[in-house]
Amino acid sequence: MDHSHHMGMSHTDHNTTTPPSHHHPTTSASHSHGGDMDHMMMMPMTFYFGFKNVELLFSGLVINTPGEMAGAFVAVFLLAVFYEGLKIGRESLLRKSQVSIRYNSMPVPGPNGTTLMETHKTVGQQMLSFPHLLQTVLHIIQVVVSYFLMLIFMTYNGYLCIAVAAGAGTGYFFFSWKKAVVVDITEHCH
Amino acid sequence: MEMHFIFSDKVVLLFDFWSVHSPAGMAFSVLVVLLLAVLYESIKVGKAKLLHQALVSLSIPTSQQLIEEMDQDSSGSDSPPVSKTRLRWFLCHFGQSLIHVVQVVIGYFIMLAVMSYNTWIFLGVVLGSAVGYYLAYPLFSMV
């Protein structure tokens, strides 16, 4: 099908010629022309570059002009930078507010029948203390922002996806600069 | 778009040109997605390993070394010239940021692949994550 060759360029043309208000990104040659056509194309499932009729997260937020797309790019970029900063800020806050450190040793059987002493270190926080409540609030904010970024990436809009990636890289660059010197290298999965 | 997992040989993944419509194509796509997940897990481990190596090579004490130094109560050694170290640290950190961008993008690509709701692709992602996690830690510790 010849639609698939005009992915980026004629995206805006599709909007002016097709009657339904939702934009119709091109799909691959494999989709069928059954009655489900409108239903399948309401949400894009492949990357595209465009700025016409881009719905962003909320029902009132629709991008229609290049200026609005530029504004959205900056806002998404700053949101990704904020997310990286929040992640690292929470880590340093947690480290600063460690209240109690308990060591407990227990004997563990070692090779050759000897017993080794294994020492476990547990750091804890009181449940109702202010640092823990603050951590919880920041955790909720972090979860919500991370889901927003996921939903923004899910719009499959090329400009917005680039904004997310660039914001993540820039935020990581600025906020990890000082942190990297005193980080615990065994930390992972962050 | 059906919002439940389906077994199907037809799917479009991420880009317009990546359309699958045969079992062979689906097997190949599952393999690609699996390798992508393995790559994602290795980057996660590799980033931490790279940071540790850079810190060691630039004579910046890591937190473990700082703790050992505090125990021994030795005077700090600050011999390398500060400006050269700072430039090298800047370049190293810039490289780390680029790796972070790659990690974020691959993570999102994997999420979008799973969002196709194709069961084969999902299984490929899960298997790739498992294999990547299994292989990453021992291999990187050996380097």
Side-chain angles (χ1 to χ4, degrees):
Chain A
M1 203 185 289
D2 56 352
H3 288 323
S4 52
H5 295 298
H6 297 289
M7 186 188 105
M9 299 182 304
S10 64
H11 175 73
T12 53
D13 289 337
H14 276 117
N15 279 314
T16 53
T17 53
T18 53
S21 59
H22 293 277
H23 63 266
H24 278 15
T26 56
T27 54
S28 72
S30 65
H31 82 262
S32 62
H33 282 285
D36 259 352
M37 196 161 149
D38 275 354
H39 217 29
M40 261 169 66
M41 291 207 239
M42 247 153 79
M43 193 170 113
M45 294 300 281
T46 53
F47 286 108
Y48 69 95
F49 282 96
F51 47 81
K52 287 259 190 318
N53 213 0
V54 178
E55 287 184 3
L56 192 63
L57 286 179
F58 301 104
S59 67
L61 235 55
V62 181
I63 299 171
N64 282 312
T65 69
E68 284 176 17
M69 178 54 83
F73 185 96
V74 171
V76 166
F77 182 87
L78 292 177
L79 192 68
V81 170
F82 170 72
Y83 174 70
E84 292 289 330
L86 183 62
K87 248 198 317 191
I88 290 166
R90 273 190 67 211
E91 280 177 41
S92 63
L93 210 70
L94 185 67
R95 211 170 296 120
K96 274 187 224 162
S97 72
Q98 299 294 354
V99 173
S100 60
I101 299 179
R102 285 177 313 192
Y103 292 90
N104 55 333
S105 313
M106 42 193 192
V108 163
N112 302 332
T114 58
T115 51
L116 308 167
M117 291 298 284
E118 199 176 81
T119 307
H120 294 269
K121 176 178 128 169
T122 42
V123 285
Q125 278 183 326
Q126 292 185 323
M127 200 177 278
L128 289 181
S129 64
F130 175 71
H132 188 57
L133 290 177
L134 182 64
Q135 278 284 323
T136 308
V137 169
L138 291 180
H139 178 77
I140 294 174
I141 296 176
Q142 186 179 332
V143 164
V144 169
V145 173
S146 74
Y147 274 122
F148 277 4
L149 289 175
M150 177 197 75
L151 290 170
I152 289 172
F153 213 95
M154 242 169 70
T155 63
Y156 269 107
N157 188 297
Y159 300 122
L160 297 178
C161 295
I162 289 175
V164 170
T170 309
Y172 177 86
F173 182 73
F174 282 123
F175 288 109
S176 266
W177 176 263
K178 279 298 178 202
K179 175 215 174 215
V181 184
V182 288
V183 77
D184 185 4
I185 304 299
T186 56
E187 275 181 14
H188 58 86
C189 283
H190 63 99
Chain B
M1 176 179 142
E2 299 295 334
M3 299 291 273
H4 52 86
F5 282 107
I6 52 174
F7 282 96
S8 165
D9 279 344
K10 298 194 188 329
V11 74
V12 179
L13 278 178
L14 292 175
F15 300 100
D16 274 345
F17 54 79
W18 194 351
S19 82
V20 182
H21 37 254
S22 68
M26 178 54 79
F28 181 68
S29 295
V30 168
L31 191 65
V32 171
V33 167
L34 199 142
L35 292 176
L36 208 65
V38 168
L39 182 69
Y40 178 72
E41 294 290 332
S42 344
I43 285 183
K44 264 204 297 193
V45 172
K47 204 166 64 157
K49 188 72 189 163
L50 223 70
L51 180 66
H52 185 74
Q53 279 182 342
L55 285 177
V56 164
S57 75
L58 287 177
S59 315
I60 300 172
T62 61
S63 59
Q64 291 158 327
Q65 290 169 339
L66 279 173
I67 292 171
E68 287 162 16
E69 264 182 35
M70 276 186 338
D71 287 342
Q72 294 166 10
D73 197 19
S74 59
S75 61
S77 57
D78 212 353
S79 39
V82 180
S83 59
K84 187 165 180 291
T85 310
R86 279 190 81 86
L87 176 67
R88 285 186 62 190
W89 172 244
F90 176 84
L91 290 175
C92 162
H93 191 61
F94 190 75
Q96 283 266 315
S97 301
L98 290 181
I99 295 177
H100 183 74
V101 171
V102 170
Q103 183 188 331
V104 163
V105 169
I106 292 183
Y108 277 122
F109 277 8
I110 292 178
M111 176 207 69
L112 292 173
V114 171
M115 224 179 74
S116 65
Y117 263 111
N118 188 294
T119 319
W120 300 118
I121 302 288
F122 179 67
L123 291 176
V125 166
V126 170
L127 204 62
S129 296
V131 167
Y133 183 87
Y134 184 70
L135 293 179
Y137 280 100
L139 285 183
F140 273 91
S141 307
M142 284 187 334
V143 167

